[in-house]
Amino acid sequence: MSPAAVLTAGLLAGVDRGTYLSNTDFTSRIWEALGGTLGQVAISCLVGVLVGLPLGLAVWLTAPQGLSRNRPVNRLLNLVVDLGRAIPFIVLMLLLIGFTRALLGSTIGWQGGIPALAIGCIPFYARLAENAIRQIPVGKIEAAQMAGASRWQITWGVAVREALPGLVAAATVTFITLIGYSMITGTIGAGGLGDLVYNWGYTRNMPDIFVMVVVIVLVLVEAVQLLGDWLSRRLDHSR
């Protein structure tokens, strides 16, 4: 069937579906799509933080002013982080199709978007985490050294603890960025709101679905930002 025929069929099929909240195509699929997007983003962000934080710490530790100065290792880690961030997400997503299929057995469904989202956000969060840790006053690190704290205690007990507000803010930025990227994964069958927009709003020419999904994403992003800001303020002991 030609694209024009598909579009015509979609238009004719949508005559009795209503629009916006009376659109049964939207109301019957929205909760599943929203759940898929939240599942993708939450799991990917968790993986990104768990792997990206140690990577960011390693960059900070091996830097010229770090606790474990090592220029070659620092250059290599910075190169890995920069190259990871430089790869366009759409390219990364396509490159990982084979890996995703081997790992999950399929690329279809909201789980299919997790590998690309998780791997893509690791260097992104690592750089944000390293920047947050670098904002810690040098005096606090020196005070811990003078008190005889070990490198492990300084890294996790001082650096990470003092940088917690910044690390939470970085996780908030990462989460919101992943919401945007998850819309792209939906276009290749990875479910979620992106799949709803592409397969129903775009392919079947239903602009009301576009509008409703955009409104939902705006509300979701604002809610995540407010929650992240609140948590970051609660952890900031300097205020």
Side-chain angles (χ1 to χ4, degrees):
M1 184 179 291
S2 68
V6 171
L7 180 59
T8 303
L11 286 169
L12 293 175
V15 168
D16 298 326
R17 291 193 178 106
T19 55
Y20 294 100
L21 294 179
S22 63
N23 184 338
T24 55
D25 288 325
F26 174 77
T27 55
S28 64
R29 291 172 172 80
I30 183 57
W31 295 115
E32 181 182 355
L34 181 59
T37 293
L38 289 175
Q40 275 182 351
V41 173
I43 294 174
S44 302
C45 190
L46 180 62
V47 173
V49 171
L50 291 178
V51 180
L53 178 57
L55 181 57
L57 275 171
V59 174
W60 174 72
L61 284 167
T62 56
Q65 296 78 29
L67 299 176
S68 304
R69 301 174 185 84
N70 190 318
R71 189 179 293 274
V73 173
N74 184 258
R75 284 180 175 173
L76 176 62
L77 291 175
N78 272 304
L79 182 64
V80 169
V81 171
D82 290 340
L83 287 178
R85 294 168 61 216
I87 298 175
F89 181 71
I90 186 72
V91 175
L92 178 67
M93 186 176 65
L94 295 175
L95 288 174
L96 290 176
I97 285 179
F99 171 74
T100 302
R101 188 175 289 116
L103 182 67
L104 303 175
S106 171
T107 60
I108 305 301
W110 65 269
Q111 298 92 336
I114 293 175
L117 289 170
I119 292 174
C121 86
I122 288 172
F124 182 80
Y125 185 78
R127 182 61 76 201
L128 293 177
E130 187 238 346
N131 287 335
I133 295 169
R134 274 200 286 120
Q135 304 305 315
I136 302 171
V138 178
K140 293 189 176 182
I141 302 296
E142 292 175 343
Q145 288 176 310
M146 293 176 64
S150 66
R151 191 172 303 166
W152 176 268
Q153 290 171 323
I154 294 173
T155 300
W156 292 98
V158 180
V160 173
R161 184 175 179 180
E162 291 294 328
L164 265 182
L167 294 175
V168 170
T172 304
V173 172
T174 303
F175 195 98
I176 291 173
T177 302
L178 287 176
I179 291 175
Y181 284 159
S182 74
M183 303 297 286
I184 301 175
T185 64
T187 63
I188 61 167
L193 294 172
D195 178 77
L196 186 63
V197 164
Y198 181 73
N199 286 318
W200 294 86
Y202 175 71
T203 303
R204 306 191 186 203
N205 193 28
M206 296 179 177
D208 56 315
I209 291 184
F210 267 108
V211 174
M212 293 301 292
V213 169
V214 169
V215 171
I216 290 171
V217 170
L218 286 175
V219 172
L220 182 59
V221 166
E222 188 62 20
V224 171
Q225 187 64 62
L226 290 173
L227 179 62
D229 289 345
W230 173 80
L231 186 57
S232 182
R233 286 195 300 271
R234 294 278 296 178
L235 293 170
D236 189 354
H237 303 296
S238 65
R239 295 170 64 89

